Amino acid sequence: MLSPTVQKLADFFAKFPTVGPRTARRFAFYLIKSDQNEINSLIEAIENLKSKIRLCNLCNKSYESDEQTSGLCAICSDTRRDKTVICVVEKELDLEAIEKTGRFKGLYFIWETNNEEQQFKKLFGRVRKDQIKEIILALDPTPEGRQLALKIQRNLDTGIKITRLGQGLPVGGEIEYADEETITSALEGRK
Ligand SMILES: [Zn+2]
């Protein structure tokens, strides 16, 4: 039986993606042994997330709020990028993986699963306003990713080209973990 203080912390960690209750408890015990300076730095880093990091109004990507005041991330405010193509991803790490290839010149939309109705509104608003020509669904080849792809396809106005990443991504794998070559060929082979 963990003491209530340790349990409370472990419960927080257990909410993190991929962290199970055992790992959560290990994190908590790691912190018990950490010195005060390290704890203070950790608290500061967490506080900064809320005070300095904003989510882009257009694509939901996080950015440092002192970088600019436009409400847009660096990608969305880059005028050289093609505004008529949107790549929909499930999480920011997928966006980072695609950006790393340097092959995609359009904009993104990170689908926030916790508020689906708002996401549809946001994405469809962009489609109407920015004369989108193509939406690339770069969703993980998992049951959840496939379900989301179907939902978006069903709800989008016709007339817009909707493509999905081509073959090559491992079934059940995640874009986040795919190498640059795989992502590049999946992007080029989209249909
Ligand atoms: Zn953005």
Side-chain angles (χ1 to χ4, degrees), residues 89-104:
V89 294
E90 285 174 75
K91 46 193 179 334
E92 189 161 339
L93 288 170
D94 298 338
L95 179 158
E96 295 296 339
I98 295 171
E99 269 306 278
K100 237 174 108 187
T101 66
R103 296 298 183 90
F104 180 65

Side-chain angles (χ1 to χ4, degrees), residues 120 123-129 132-135 151-162:
F120 271 119
L123 180 62
F124 298 163
R126 274 179 75 178
V127 167
R128 262 173 247 127
K129 201 172 133 276
I132 302 300
K133 287 194 196 115
E134 181 183 357
I135 292 192
K151 237 184 262 175
I152 294 174
Q153 274 171 320
R154 278 198 203 117
N155 283 283
L156 263 186
D157 309 339
T158 48
I160 295 157
K161 191 171 158 197
I162 300 178

Side-chain angles (χ1 to χ4, degrees), residues 28-95:
F29 281 110
Y30 165 79
L31 287 174
I32 289 176
K33 288 182 204 139
S34 302
D35 64 28
Q36 192 60 46
N37 282 342
E38 203 174 350
I39 299 278
N40 291 346
S41 303
L42 175 66
I43 291 170
E44 198 191 333
I46 292 173
E47 280 175 346
N48 284 347
L49 275 183
K50 278 297 163 194
S51 60
K52 291 189 178 170
I53 299 293
R54 298 275 173 272
L55 295 184
C56 175
N57 287 337
L58 219 52
C59 74
N60 296 325
K61 183 186 182 327
S62 66
Y63 66 97
E64 294 264 349
S65 62
D66 47 353
E67 272 176 24
Q68 59 234 334
T69 50
S70 61
L72 299 180
C73 70
I75 296 175
C76 288
S77 44
D78 185 343
T79 51
R80 289 163 302 180
R81 303 204 57 137
D82 182 359
K83 279 192 169 167
T84 65
V85 183
I86 298 179
C87 180
V88 180
V89 294
E90 285 174 75
K91 46 193 179 334
E92 189 161 339
L93 288 170
D94 298 338
L95 179 158

